[in-house]
Amino acid sequence: MFQPDRITVFDGGFGSELERRGLSGIPEDLNITRPEEIAAIHRAYSCADIITTNTFGLNRIKYSGEFSIEEVAAQAVKNARAANKPVFFDVGPTGAMLRPLGSLTFDQAYDAFSEIAQIADRLADGFICETFSDLYEFKACILAIREHSKKPLFATMTFDGTGRTLTGSTPEIVANTLSGLCVDALGVNCSLGPRELVPIVRRLLDSTDLPIIVQPNRGLPVLEGGKTVYKLGIDEFEESISEMVEMGVSIIGGCCGTTPEFIERISRFSGSAVRPRSFTPKTAINSSAKLVGIDGVKICGERLNPTGKKLLKQALADGDYDYLIDEAIRQQDCGADLLDINVGLPQLNERAVMPEAITKVQEYCDLPLQIDSSDPAAIEAGARYYNGIPLINSVNGDEESMSAIFPIAKKYGAVVLGLTMDKNGVPETVGGRVEIAKRIISRAEDFGIPRHKIMIDTLVVTASAEQERVSVTLGALEEVHRLGVKTALGVSNVSFGLPNRPLLNRTFLVMAMTKGLNMPILNPLDSEMTGAVRAFGVLSAIDKNSESYIDIYKDYTPASASSAAPAVSKQAEKPAETLYESVVRGLKNRAGELCEAELKTKPPLEVVNEILIKALDEVGREYESGKLFLPQLVSAAEAAKAAFAVVGEYMPKNAGPKGMVILATVKGDVHDIGKNIVKVVLQSYGYSIVDLGKDVPPDKVVEAYERYKPLAVGLSALMTTTVRSMEETIKALRAVDCRSYIFVGGAVLNAETAARIGADYYTKDALGFAKKLAELTDEEK
């Protein structure tokens, strides 16, 4: 069925094929109401090696048809079997946004996908999970399938023209995460045309040794005569597929707009040998938006570990996650590359608190995390709800420890940190510590964890009590480094009980870096410690052309010698003291309180125009430049929304909101992620929103228009098959002499299509909508 060393061909577009053949209605229901026509489409794709079921929207959250999920799944597989080829069950996203971007929880998404996995495992030959745009939702989906089925699992995400997913993940992050979750093949589908996908595919190929699957759209469609038309020719499509095959792609197919003729053309590659490619695995961890390779020297911030920290202990005991968020942001601002997070207090249920702390910190800080606990249950809970690939701290040389931790690391793709100690304690010799390191590496490999997923800590002793053994730590570090694994040390342990601890810490850090230390665990707020790491980067040629060093210290003068990185340190000392900063940071829990403080000395309109709008403008610039991504944009919008709610209480009674906007996802389309983002952002700018929801027929939109007479109507469509419904909605609005601005948006649209279907404006994202609406209202004044 699937041979990794041979080219495999999947089928092509299904939703677009339904439209082409005049089949309307809920696509999944057509499996039962029009089985012969659905089977005919599958037979038309029999040139492919693998057929996918017509079940893209079949999950309890998204599916709104009249049949049971099990009924639809069984008939869908039966229809697909008509092609007499192996059948993979098509699993698409829920169409809802997971927290913190939306209201759907990780567990709710997991449960929905689990239901599908259990049903499909009995029916199909494998799974193809496609068109996901949120890495966190994708993790829920993959875990649900992996925990209920051993059948092949292929996974593809969508990317935009910037080379990132909707929530900010790069191809490298996607490859690292999905490889860690042990899918059988990963790649990209939908998104863009084949030519535009080539750079993304190249980056995926460079980031994993797993088979890469590519199923491009037939370019972006246009509307002609009320019909969706794809212009990309079959020859150009084949040429791009051929180029990707030459690059080393293993699995090919088509998405929106591709027809059986397209798949017939590329089926000539079926069975051909996959072009060999070289790949060197790297030790890397990632959040959803940031990947950190543990090469050179990377700083792990230690300030989310309660050992010796009274305020953090109290915050954890009180459930004060804002304190943890502040500490995370401060460390990030001071140059940490990743953060250690530990919630180990006797009175706490670590298994419950760890995932809560992780999700709260990840909402506001995009640095990868090291999950630190002596409790395997807490580690597993944290790894499960972590968005990305974490580092686990720790395992030791005891078989009991390794047998408990290594299965967790393997399941969740984590990098694991091994301590050179066992039931007999910490060896007093270099050789003893190196032997434990070798034991850890060997047992990890027995569990299927490769060497690049292992790091070793040779354990720092206190110079005050064991002065001679400091050199043992460094000697073992050097030997372990030669084994080809990355190394870590808790640097500040060396100075306990001695005066002027920073001097000892800094000196020991430099000594350790010369021996091969890759990840010092330290306090990033100590600018002399972080400065030593940055200087080492220059002097050891890690920091090429001294670019990072120059960027940090370009404003350094002898007068500011008391702070090695004054601008960074000053910003981090007291994060989000102002309303402006709380909006830029997206700290919605603090924005209301800070807004109250501002309103004590400033009139409401000044707070709005001079603080809130300017903060949102900065977020917008950062978002448009690719420095911030959708999660940060939504968090900032939520923070501004909280502040606007407070401002509203101080406004004169006759000073209402800027204006009302009606939003709807058009009839036949159940994707409302984009609409929901627009809603939050517009509300943050002070607009009142009437949200009609998803799958909204034209008459409901017209009814809302006539009732509210809004400033604007915003229509969303993500599926090519529902652009026609959008056009019908616009015609219905024009028929009642709609005087509101009509905005349209969605992945399948562009300015040309928007104009053709009669819209006033097209915007590619929520921020563009808000800015254009502001321009229009300013013009009217």
Side-chain angles (χ1 to χ4, degrees):
M1 177 174 63
F2 167 64
Q3 298 175 288
D5 62 340
R6 298 289 168 180
I7 300 291
T8 299
V9 179
F10 265 75
D11 51 13
F14 208 93
S16 53
E17 193 66 9
L18 291 174
E19 181 183 22
R20 193 168 76 99
R21 297 181 182 222
L23 294 170
S24 60
I26 296 174
E28 292 73 30
D29 281 359
L30 295 175
N31 287 297
I32 294 176
T33 61
R34 307 289 289 273
E36 287 303 320
E37 288 94 332
I38 299 301
I41 296 175
H42 290 309
R43 282 193 293 269
Y45 279 125
S46 62
C47 54
D49 299 311
I50 296 177
I51 301 297
T52 54
T53 57
N54 175 33
T55 53
F56 178 74
L58 190 64
N59 62 70
R60 67 171 70 158
I61 296 168
K62 187 175 184 180
Y63 175 62
S64 59
E66 58 182 295
F67 306 102
S68 74
I69 288 178
E70 189 151 6
E71 283 180 297
V72 175
Q75 187 61 46
V77 173
K78 181 179 179 181
N79 294 338
R81 295 284 184 202
N84 293 316
K85 291 293 178 70
V87 171
F88 273 37
F89 201 89
D90 191 0
V91 180
T94 62
M97 298 170 68
L98 267 66
R99 294 178 181 172
L101 295 178
S103 59
L104 189 68
T105 68
F106 184 90
D107 287 336
Q108 287 171 332
Y110 173 86
D111 289 344
F113 292 125
S114 293
E115 180 182 21
I116 285 295
Q118 293 175 72
I119 294 170
D121 182 60
R122 303 192 299 267
L123 301 168
D125 303 308
F127 295 83
I128 173 71
C129 305
E130 60 174 352
T131 325
F132 281 76
S133 58
D134 179 357
L135 195 63
Y136 200 38
E137 182 185 19
F138 215 176
K139 179 175 180 177
C141 175
I142 292 168
L143 285 177
I145 294 173
R146 277 289 180 233
E147 291 176 356
H148 292 94
S149 176
K150 295 182 179 179
K151 291 182 176 177
L153 169 57
F154 295 175
T156 60
M157 294 198 78
T158 62
F159 295 85
D160 61 26
T162 69
R164 287 187 179 258
T165 68
L166 178 68
T167 52
S169 301
T170 64
E172 293 80 8
I173 288 170
V174 169
N176 197 53
T177 302
L178 299 187
S179 297
L181 294 174
C182 298
V183 300
D184 295 289
L186 63 90
V188 56
N189 80 296
C190 203
S191 306
L192 307 163
R195 173 58 51 192
E196 293 78 14
L197 285 184
V198 169
I200 292 171
V201 170
R202 183 174 290 111
R203 292 168 66 182
L204 289 170
L205 287 164
D206 289 342
S207 302
T208 181
D209 58 355
L210 286 180
I212 297 298
I213 176 171
V214 182
Q215 294 181 289
N217 281 343
R218 186 182 167 186
L220 290 176
V222 296
L223 282 180
E224 291 183 355
K227 293 185 177 182
T228 304
V229 177
Y230 292 87
K231 297 290 191 177
L232 187 72
I234 194 168
D235 291 337
E236 186 178 349
F237 185 86
E238 181 192 20
E239 181 181 349
S240 295
I241 292 293
S242 178
E243 180 180 353
M244 288 186 272
V245 166
E246 285 297 310
M247 291 161 55
V249 167
S250 305
I251 307 160
I252 54 177
C255 203
C256 300
T258 56
T259 66
E261 290 74 24
F262 278 70
I263 304 307
E264 177 72 37
R265 177 70 71 88
I266 66 172
S267 68
R268 68 181 181 85
F269 295 106
S270 175
S272 301
V274 174
R275 186 178 180 86
R277 67 185 202 267
S278 60
F279 173 72
T280 302
K282 299 177 181 178
T283 304
I285 59 174
N286 62 271
S287 64
S288 65
K290 189 179 291 293
L291 183 140
V292 173
I294 310 297
D295 49 12
V297 182
K298 295 296 190 295
I299 297 172
C300 178
E302 68 180 7
R303 293 180 60 83
L304 294 182
N305 186 321
T307 302
K309 302 179 183 71
K310 292 182 180 179
L311 293 178
L312 179 56
K313 286 180 180 180
Q314 190 61 52
L316 287 170
D318 295 342
D320 179 9
Y321 293 108
D322 285 347
Y323 184 90
L324 274 72
I325 292 164
D326 281 351
E327 286 297 314
I329 291 171
R330 294 171 74 190
Q331 292 181 89
Q332 178 173 261
D333 286 345
C334 285
D337 298 295
L338 66 150
L339 303 178
D340 179 85
I341 185 164
N342 184 307
V343 297
L345 292 180
Q347 68 269 37
L348 293 184
N349 178 352
E350 276 194 75
R351 185 177 183 181
V353 174
M354 180 66 83
E356 182 73 8
I358 285 173
T359 54
K360 289 292 186 183
V361 169
Q362 285 202 300
E363 183 175 351
Y364 297 98
C365 176
D366 63 5
L367 293 183
L369 301 179
Q370 172 176 264
I371 301 172
D372 184 357
S373 178
S374 59
D375 180 357
I379 288 176
E380 173 146 30
R384 186 173 189 84
Y385 292 95
Y386 179 85
N387 190 357
I389 295 294
L391 173 60
I392 288 176
N393 182 7
S394 58
V395 67
N396 62 51
D398 277 342
E399 182 59 37
E400 181 181 357
S401 174
M402 293 186 287
S403 296
I405 298 300
F406 285 150
I408 299 171
K410 175 63 176 176
K411 179 176 181 178
Y412 298 103
V415 176
V416 65
L417 180 59
L419 309 181
T420 54
M421 61 181 291
D422 57 20
K423 60 185 177 182
N424 298 314
V426 181
E428 297 181 6
T429 65
V430 169
R433 297 190 197 187
V434 173
E435 281 305 310
I436 293 178
K438 290 179 178 179
R439 186 193 314 160
I440 291 171
I441 294 167
S442 176
R443 288 295 286 135
E445 291 173 339
D446 291 342
F447 280 88
I449 300 172
R451 186 165 297 218
H452 71 276
K453 289 279 190 177
I454 294 288
M455 296 182 66
I456 297 294
D457 184 336
T458 56
L459 298 173
V460 175
V461 297
T462 58
S464 60
E466 301 178 280
Q467 190 172 8
E468 292 79 8
R469 293 187 192 172
V470 173
S471 62
V472 173
T473 296
L474 295 175
L477 180 77
E478 188 171 27
E479 290 298 318
V480 167
H481 183 73
R482 290 176 180 147
L483 296 177
V485 296
K486 303 301 182 182
T487 60
L489 289 176
V491 175
S492 61
N493 294 340
V494 76
S495 64
F496 282 131
L498 292 170
N500 197 359
R501 292 187 62 192
L503 176 61
L504 290 171
N505 292 341
R506 185 168 68 254
T507 304
F508 178 72
L509 171 62
V510 174
M511 294 170 67
M513 289 190 291
T514 63
K515 300 295 184 181
L517 175 61
N518 298 113
M519 192 187 79
I521 304 172
L522 52 80
N523 177 8
L525 275 61
D526 184 336
S527 59
E528 293 191 344
M529 291 287 278
T530 57
V533 173
R534 291 159 180 156
F536 182 81
V538 173
L539 301 177
S540 60
I542 294 171
D543 182 2
K544 298 299 181 184
N545 299 316
S546 307
E547 289 180 0
S548 178
Y549 184 89
I550 291 170
D551 182 58
I552 293 168
Y553 295 107
K554 59 181 178 293
D555 298 324
Y556 175 85
T557 63
S560 63
S562 61
S563 176
V568 175
S569 297
K570 184 179 293 184
Q571 182 182 11
E573 283 175 2
K574 295 179 180 179
E577 279 191 307
T578 66
L579 174 59
Y580 185 95
E581 275 297 311
S582 74
V583 173
V584 172
R585 294 284 191 186
L587 301 178
K588 50 183 177 286
N589 293 339
R590 187 169 299 151
E593 176 186 341
L594 291 170
C595 189
E596 287 273 8
E598 291 285 357
L599 288 164
K600 290 178 180 178
T601 59
K602 297 181 179 71
L605 288 179
E606 183 179 338
V607 171
V608 170
N609 294 324
E610 297 302 316
I611 300 176
L612 296 179
I613 296 301
K614 288 185 176 180
L616 286 169
D617 285 345
E618 179 180 338
V619 172
R621 289 191 296 272
E622 296 284 284
Y623 177 71
E624 290 173 351
S625 67
K627 295 179 180 178
L628 294 180
F629 307 104
L630 181 62
Q632 293 96 328
L633 175 65
V634 171
S635 292
E638 290 282 6
K641 180 181 172 184
F644 272 112
V646 174
V647 171
E649 298 175 5
Y650 286 76
M651 285 284 197
K653 291 184 178 180
N654 61 351
K658 288 185 176 181
M660 181 176 288
V661 178
I662 292 174
L663 297 177
T665 300
V666 298
K667 178 66 178 174
D669 203 319
V670 293
H671 299 82
D672 61 355
I673 290 178
K675 172 186 66 65
N676 292 340
I677 295 168
V678 170
K679 177 181 177 180
V680 172
V681 172
L682 288 180
Q683 285 176 328
S684 75
Y685 275 82
Y687 295 99
S688 176
I689 303 299
V690 175
D691 184 356
L692 301 181
K694 57 190 176 183
D695 192 22
V696 182
D699 63 307
K700 293 294 184 184
V701 179
V702 170
E703 179 183 325
Y705 164 75
E706 293 183 324
R707 178 180 177 183
Y708 296 106
K709 298 297 188 206
L711 176 65
V713 177
L715 303 176
S716 172
L718 190 66
M719 300 167 61
T720 57
T721 54
T722 53
V723 175
R724 182 185 299 175
S725 179
M726 181 179 280
E727 183 179 28
E728 292 171 356
T729 302
I730 294 172
K731 286 181 178 178
L733 287 168
R734 299 301 186 199
V736 295
D737 195 26
C738 174
R739 300 299 178 90
S740 303
Y741 301 115
I742 300 178
F743 284 75
V744 296
V748 295
L749 294 167
N750 54 33
E752 181 184 356
T753 302
R756 188 176 289 111
I757 64 177
D760 294 314
Y761 301 102
Y762 159 79
T763 57
K764 66 178 182 178
D765 55 42
L767 199 60
F769 194 149
K771 288 187 173 182
K772 187 62 183 178
L773 201 52
E775 290 176 12
L776 293 169
T777 53
D778 285 345
E779 289 174 4
E780 289 181 346
K781 292 178 181 178

